[in-house]
Amino acid sequence: MAARVAVAGATGRMGRMLVQALLECDDLVLSGALTHAGSLQLGDDAAAFLGKASEVVLTADLVQALDTAELLIDFSTPEVTKANVAECVKRRIPMVIGTTGVDDAGRKAIASAGDSIGIVFAPNMSIGVNVALALVALAAQALPEEYDAEILEVHHRLKRDAPSGTALQMGEVIATSRGGSLADQGQMPRHGLGLRRERSIGIASMRGGDVVGDHTVLFAGPGERVEITHRSTSRMTYAKGSLCAARFLLQHSPGVFDMRAVLGLDTL
């Protein structure tokens, strides 16, 4: 029997992809669709944008959206996600969280919730980008520290947070692999005069057009450079990855996991 999944942020760009992916899925089914109180689509069928009927009505009532759900996938805002985490803990409903821009307080709330429910929390649910993260970790460990590390990320003009959560995660992977932390080594952005700081990790952000998401990590050493690039051309890759995370949670006990755990990359 298909597991029942609710979607938070169901009228957003990612939310719509998740609704579509769930309608095309055999082992997971859409059971609830949450949007904001001011949405003009409140009361509509969640799949109306596809010209289809899901028999799930868009609602701003979290309790209603979670009424029959076995799992919540949340691509909303940090403030909304915080409230959703509290309600899911109360109901013992696991969560896949792809919300970006979550602050330290929000991260602490998610970590605490992991004592009660299963959570996959990742800034990027794409299978490909998480394989790229594993490659970045390998390169950072294998290359001498004289190879300068730089990150460039490009996204559509409507993205609110910068640098992207994925770029920050790439920076943290590099710093951790080299025995440091991004908080100490990150430079975001660079401007003015001065030489590159030793052991720094530069992160540059570009915003424009409808770019779904491009990330490049550059390791530049004497006489050569290594580049690891991932480009997203469709948000469906994030939706498919989110469904993989949902299946993972339905088979696991409470805890906070990332996509490396979902994809088995921790064993590499």
Side-chain angles (χ1 to χ4, degrees), residues 118-122 248-249 252-259 261-262:
I119 296 176
V120 172
F121 177 41
F248 173 89
L249 283 180
H252 284 74
S253 56
V256 179
F257 307 92
D258 58 18
M259 286 299 288
V262 172

Side-chain angles (χ1 to χ4, degrees), residues 22-141:
L22 285 166
L23 292 181
E24 297 171 355
C25 189
D26 293 328
D27 59 332
L28 301 171
V29 63
L30 181 69
S31 66
L34 187 68
T35 188
H36 58 92
S39 174
L40 297 176
Q41 299 165 65
L42 282 174
D44 291 351
D45 190 288
F49 70 99
L50 294 170
K52 298 180 179 180
S54 66
E55 299 183 3
V56 174
V57 174
L58 287 162
T59 179
D61 185 334
L62 177 57
V63 173
Q64 179 182 346
L66 295 177
D67 184 38
T68 63
E70 297 174 74
L71 183 140
L72 175 67
I73 301 179
D74 186 342
F75 279 79
S76 57
T77 66
E79 297 77 15
V80 171
T81 294
K82 186 176 180 180
N84 293 349
V85 167
E87 186 65 25
C88 283
V89 167
K90 188 186 303 183
R91 292 170 171 263
R92 295 295 190 268
I93 295 175
M95 296 182 69
V96 174
I97 301 176
T99 302
T100 59
V102 177
D103 61 15
D104 288 341
R107 290 176 180 275
K108 288 178 181 177
I110 290 170
S112 177
D115 294 336
S116 304
I117 60 174
I119 296 176
V120 172
F121 177 41
N124 194 316
M125 297 289 174
S126 158
I127 294 172
V129 87
N130 282 281
V131 171
L133 281 165
L135 295 174
V136 168
L138 176 61
Q141 293 166 15

Side-chain angles (χ1 to χ4, degrees), residues 43-261:
D44 291 351
D45 190 288
F49 70 99
L50 294 170
K52 298 180 179 180
S54 66
E55 299 183 3
V56 174
V57 174
L58 287 162
T59 179
D61 185 334
L62 177 57
V63 173
Q64 179 182 346
L66 295 177
D67 184 38
T68 63
E70 297 174 74
L71 183 140
L72 175 67
I73 301 179
D74 186 342
F75 279 79
S76 57
T77 66
E79 297 77 15
V80 171
T81 294
K82 186 176 180 180
N84 293 349
V85 167
E87 186 65 25
C88 283
V89 167
K90 188 186 303 183
R91 292 170 171 263
R92 295 295 190 268
I93 295 175
M95 296 182 69
V96 174
I97 301 176
T99 302
T100 59
V102 177
D103 61 15
D104 288 341
R107 290 176 180 275
K108 288 178 181 177
I110 290 170
S112 177
D115 294 336
S116 304
I117 60 174
I119 296 176
V120 172
F121 177 41
N124 194 316
M125 297 289 174
S126 158
I127 294 172
V129 87
N130 282 281
V131 171
L133 281 165
L135 295 174
V136 168
L138 176 61
Q141 293 166 15
L143 295 170
E145 288 196 17
E146 64 182 304
Y147 283 68
D148 299 322
E150 296 285 312
I151 301 167
L152 171 65
E153 58 98 352
V154 187
H155 282 84
H156 55 89
R157 65 189 302 272
L158 297 178
K159 185 170 177 60
R160 297 183 180 184
D161 56 311
S164 70
T166 301
L168 292 173
Q169 188 175 13
M170 286 175 163
E172 197 63 68
V173 163
I174 296 168
T176 301
S177 297
R178 292 181 166 181
S181 72
L182 186 61
D184 295 329
Q185 298 177 14
Q187 281 193 277
M188 317 170 240
R190 289 196 175 89
H191 62 276
L193 300 174
L195 296 177
R196 187 181 195 279
R197 199 175 73 216
E198 289 296 322
R199 302 186 78 237
S200 64
I201 301 169
I203 302 181
S205 300
M206 296 175 65
R207 296 288 177 267
D210 60 357
V211 180
V212 175
D214 294 352
H215 294 86
T216 295
V217 177
L218 168 69
F219 293 96
E224 65 178 358
R225 64 180 182 267
V226 177
E227 296 183 16
I228 300 171
T229 296
H230 177 271
R231 303 187 193 280
S232 293
T233 57
S234 170
R235 291 182 180 82
M236 186 55 76
T237 60
Y238 308 141
K240 295 291 188 182
S242 298
L243 299 192
C244 286
R247 295 183 185 100
F248 173 89
L249 283 180
L250 291 170
Q251 302 297 323
H252 284 74
S253 56
V256 179
F257 307 92
D258 58 18
M259 286 299 288
R260 287 177 60 90

